[in-house]
Amino acid sequence: QVQLVESGGGLVQAGGSLRLSCAASGRTFSNYASWFRQAPGKEREFVAAISWIVGSVYYAESVKGRFTISRDHAKNTVYLQMNILKPEDTAVYYCATGSSGRYYSTEGYNYWGQGTQVTVSS
């Protein structure tokens, strides 16, 4: 059993930056540690993923070059550095882990955090 808690969300102007954190407790991350986001009225979509053991990273095309995912084994924490934020990045951001399937699919992830709101104003 893994508990995930996100933090770092907030309100920022377009072009600004935020760093999200996701801390795991109970147990550590497994397989992939990932970030998804969901805007009102839309489906939850993949943002970024990192292999907990190997460290390979993967990004959605919409955030490549702007977002960076990283991990800290000692702190059992995964981060999402978000730069050059756009209004379309506005969403609730969720971290997830334990996927037994494809990293970009919500299906297969066993554990999810409660989410943290990111709002980007124009």
Side-chain angles (χ1 to χ4, degrees):
Q1 187 84 327
V2 181
Q3 294 80 48
L4 303 176
V5 180
E6 304 98 333
S7 62
L11 175 64
V12 65
Q13 293 188 120
S17 300
L18 283 173
R19 188 178 76 154
L20 306 183
S21 299
C22 177
S25 61
R27 293 182 180 181
T28 189
F29 295 92
S30 62
N31 201 352
Y32 297 108
S34 307
W35 290 95
F36 291 79
R37 66 188 183 188
Q38 188 167 25
K42 296 185 177 181
E43 299 216 29
R44 194 166 298 188
E45 66 175 0
F46 170 74
V47 177
I50 185 167
S51 172
W52 190 249
I53 300 299
V54 178
S56 302
V57 297
Y58 310 89
Y59 299 98
E61 287 294 328
S62 60
V63 306
K64 281 184 178 178
R66 300 189 298 122
F67 291 11
T68 302
I69 189 171
S70 61
R71 73 197 197 283
D72 187 325
H73 286 106
K75 295 182 178 180
N76 289 315
T77 301
V78 63
Y79 304 95
L80 185 68
Q81 178 66 48
M82 306 186 294
N83 299 321
I84 319 176
L85 283 161
K86 305 174 180 179
E88 50 261 48
D89 293 319
T90 296
V92 176
Y93 284 70
Y94 300 89
C95 65
T97 192
S99 177
S100 59
R102 297 173 175 81
Y103 65 85
Y104 53 80
S105 176
T106 58
E107 190 173 358
Y109 280 88
N110 296 319
Y111 306 102
W112 294 85
Q114 292 297 307
T116 185
Q117 177 71 47
V118 172
T119 303
V120 184
S121 64
S122 59

